[in-house]
Amino acid sequence: MAVQFDASLLRRGERSDESWLFNLFKSTMQDYIDAAWGWEELLQKEGFVTSLPARGFQVLQQGAENIACIHLTDKADHLLLDMILVEPLQQRRGHGSHLMDWAKRKAQETERRIMLSVLKSNPAVLFHQRHGFETVEEDQHSLKMQWTPP
């Protein structure tokens, strides 16, 4: 069942979200990362918190419950979509698509493309393709994709 999206339900991540953010990352990405390079818990947690600080996330809430998040980094000539994460029980309800639409509006407002990297084994490849992203480069494990505003 698709839900109606309200951008006012987005809030900036806070330090108190760090545990939830990492646990969501782990629950949705561990299998793909483990298959590609191996999962080292301490390394992953330290890298996640350092590279993707909580304050860089926008968190989608439903009531008082965190259900999804997006991390979009401003670069000089593009926006880098670091990740969209959706709670497993909330997946396939339109939350990821709404967050992607929000990112695309940001890209259009700033007249910049969106770039991302995704593991080839991650079903999110199809999600990004459905949202108009095209592969511009690839290596053994991942695809570099981009979306350019019309």
Side-chain angles (χ1 to χ4, degrees), residues 72 77-81 100 103-104 107 111-118 124-125 127-138 142-150:
L72 195 63
D77 66 340
H78 68 279
L79 297 174
L80 178 61
L81 178 55
M100 180 64 80
K104 286 180 169 182
E111 299 179 350
R112 290 182 284 174
R113 62 197 163 126
I114 300 174
M115 301 289 298
L116 63 85
S117 179
V118 61
V125 169
F127 170 82
H128 296 307
Q129 289 171 337
R130 281 196 313 273
H131 284 277
F133 282 76
E134 297 178 348
T135 300
V136 294
E137 189 180 324
E138 67 181 279
S142 52
L143 300 174
K144 305 269 189 263
M145 302 179 84
Q146 79 174 10
W147 177 82
T148 304

Side-chain angles (χ1 to χ4, degrees), residues 4-13 54-61 68-74 79-85 94-114 127 131 133 147 149:
Q4 197 65 8
F5 182 71
D6 178 353
S8 70
L9 301 177
L10 281 177
R11 65 167 179 81
R12 186 176 183 180
R55 69 183 178 280
F57 279 91
Q58 292 293 316
V59 177
L60 179 61
Q61 291 188 295
C69 59
I70 184 170
H71 196 284
L72 195 63
T73 302
D74 279 313
L79 297 174
L80 178 61
L81 178 55
D82 298 297
M83 63 184 54
I84 293 176
L85 300 171
H95 302 300
S97 291
H98 293 306
L99 290 173
M100 180 64 80
D101 291 344
W102 177 84
K104 286 180 169 182
R105 282 193 302 279
K106 296 289 179 195
Q108 288 174 319
E109 290 168 6
T110 59
E111 299 179 350
R112 290 182 284 174
R113 62 197 163 126
I114 300 174
F127 170 82
H131 284 277
F133 282 76
W147 177 82

